[in-house]
Amino acid sequence: MLAVRSLAKYRLSTPAEAQIDEILDWSEQNFGELARERYAALLVAAMDDVAGHPRQKTILRKRVASGEVGIYHIRHSRKHVPAAWSGW
């Protein structure tokens, strides 16, 4: 399970948590435990960034039938992960 260490407010659905766990498992199987930890840290940073600043310019807004969705690429959050992961 993805550990969320954030002050920003957001909630993941059970299916979203399960999908993230599957992605992290795949990352570990294909690239190792360090890659899994690095990717998990990046995902947490990205979720924190979006939750903390939901109207930032790096979020692309798209209208869909049910309303509006925001699209955010996690590369924008790389600078917000701990220095231990700076070797990307």
Side-chain angles (χ1 to χ4, degrees):
M1 173 161 288
L2 182 65
V4 178
R5 300 169 300 248
S6 167
L7 297 177
K9 299 283 185 191
Y10 58 89
R11 183 179 58 194
L12 296 175
S13 68
T14 300
E17 284 187 15
Q19 192 170 32
I20 290 171
D21 285 340
E22 288 176 16
I23 291 166
L24 293 175
D25 289 345
W26 183 90
S27 294
E28 184 174 359
Q29 291 169 2
N30 288 277
F31 304 107
E33 185 178 346
L34 184 60
R36 177 195 179 102
E37 292 173 12
R38 197 170 49 217
Y39 196 42
L42 182 56
L43 289 173
V44 169
M47 290 183 279
D48 286 348
D49 289 345
V50 170
H53 306 284
R55 293 290 170 196
Q56 62 184 293
K57 293 178 184 177
T58 54
I59 300 174
L60 176 64
R61 301 280 168 196
K62 292 281 188 176
R63 289 234 175 255
V64 295
S66 60
E68 182 181 79
V69 297
I71 301 168
Y72 181 80
H73 197 288
I74 62 174
R75 74 172 172 261
H76 299 298
S77 295
R78 282 191 174 162
K79 62 186 172 200
H80 300 138
V81 295
W85 307 124
S86 63
W88 288 337

